[in-house]
Structures are given as C-alpha cells and as structure tokens.
Amino acid sequence: MKLATIRVNGSTRAVRVDEDKAVDLGESDLVAFLRHSDWATRAADADGETYEGVLDYAPVVVAPEKVVCVGLNYRTHILEMGRELPSHPTLFSKFARALVGAYDEVTLPAASTQMDWEAELGVVIGAEVRHADTEQARAAIAGYTVLNDVTARDWQYRTTQWDQGKTFEATTPIGPWLVTADDPAVSAKGLSLTCEVDGDTVQKADTGDLVFDPATLVAYLSEIVTLVPGDVIATGTPGGVGHARKPARYLQDGSVLVTRIEGIGESRNTCRRETR
C-alpha cells in the first residue's frame, strides 16, 4: 500500500493512494493515523471520501516527533574514500520545519552558498518501540519513503557537530508517500536509488549497500530513546554529493532536484533562493 498526507482545502488529510484515486483514512495526517495500533488493517479496509485528479502532497509526515539521520552508511562509498567501516552509526537530527513535500520548492537559504544534495531512503516508524531486538525493530517499521537531506555544507562544517547545516527550514523533501513494509515492491534486499540535478545523474546506488540496514538502525536508536509512530529515520547517502566534486558543485536558484528510489517513487523539487 501507498499512504500519504495530502493538502485539501487549506488543511491536510491522511490517504491511501490507489492507482486512480486517493481514499481518506479519517485522520488529518499520516502521523495521527499511524498512532492507531491497527493502522494497517484500517488502511486496507478504508472506503471513505475519495480524491481524484492531481493531488497536492504535503510532507508524508507533517510533524513527526523525531527525524533522526545517519551519516557514513554506504559501504562502497566509505571504502572508496579510504575509510574503515564504522562500528556504530553516525547520528544527527532535523527539526520538522526542515521538511517539505515531494513536489514543493526547496529553499536555498540566503545565509548559505553551498547547498548540496543527499538522496536517501527514509524509514517511517509505525509502532512504539523501545529496547528492540532486530525482529521487533523490523516489525515497528511502517514503511519506506524518498528523502533528500539537502545540506548547507558551509554551515555543517563550521564545527564538528553537523546539525546546524542539516536542518535549515524548508530544505528537506520527503514523500510523496510511504510504501508499507509488507509491499512486495520494497521487499527486495536492495533498491536502486538515484539523484538527478538539472537532468544530470549525480548519485546512483543500491540500498543493499547500507552498512546499517533499517532494522539495525531502529534497534540501535530504540536503545537511546522510544521511537513512536511517525518518526523518520534518514538512512544516509551514497557517493556523488556536490561538495566532494572537483570543482565542487552546489544547488542554484532554479535547480531541479529529482530523488528516485525503485519500488517507492520520486520527489521532484525546484530550488529557490530565499529572499528576505
């Protein structure tokens, strides 16, 4: 199944996305819907109001309690950089205001001149989980989505702590939907992940190359804090980012950023320079 949050008449609604329509799930957004312990059955059986035509996708999770991100998590990229594989995940976080919809504009903040792309597989939590083993962690995953951790490199590397470069407002597209974890489209070990900037393919990888897979990340994070429905884990990006190129390449006003994951979908965002 595909589940999403769409904008309707000035508010938002949680929906199941079918081939020719979206079906209302009875909640204002997907975070609220995932709080129902039987959300999967409710979603499959939903027969509420339908929405047809072009849908206006909000961030798939409008106001998650937590957005936790992982760095240095693609095996091939780490090894090609001459680094050792990490023994523990590198973690940082985002605030919910960083998130935008899959077709919304991405803001290039006036304070930064080095905005970079980072295509990532997003994991959405569907059940409260704490101190989980791998199987419990896997069962707590509602599904997967497309995310791009657009990053202000000049702010990220001001200090050894990355958060300030990672959570500028309205910079992180997520969606358009999540594909539930039981869907055959995402059951394969690895999914092709690509990023395009202005028609150029700048990143290409396979999610099977992750050092720490989604269940491992959920289990690890659940030792630190209780994960709750609607929480997001951004699992890391592969090689090909603009900051590492010679010369470096960054997103510009008008750049079109396309992030695509096999079996899930794509986001397509035009970048716009912030005006004050």
Side-chain angles (χ1 to χ4, degrees), residues 259-273:
T259 315
R260 185 179 297 114
I261 303 179
E262 174 190 8
I264 301 178
E266 70 173 36
S267 62
R268 181 178 294 268
N269 307 88
T270 300
C271 301
R272 293 298 181 198
R273 179 67 59 187

Side-chain angles (χ1 to χ4, degrees), residues 94 112 114-118 149-154 156 165-166 171:
K94 286 182 180 287
S112 173
Q114 296 181 0
M115 296 300 292
D116 199 356
W117 54 85
E118 291 194 5
D149 176 25
V150 175
T151 300
R153 299 296 187 195
D154 41 0
Q156 178 186 1
K166 294 289 189 174
T171 54

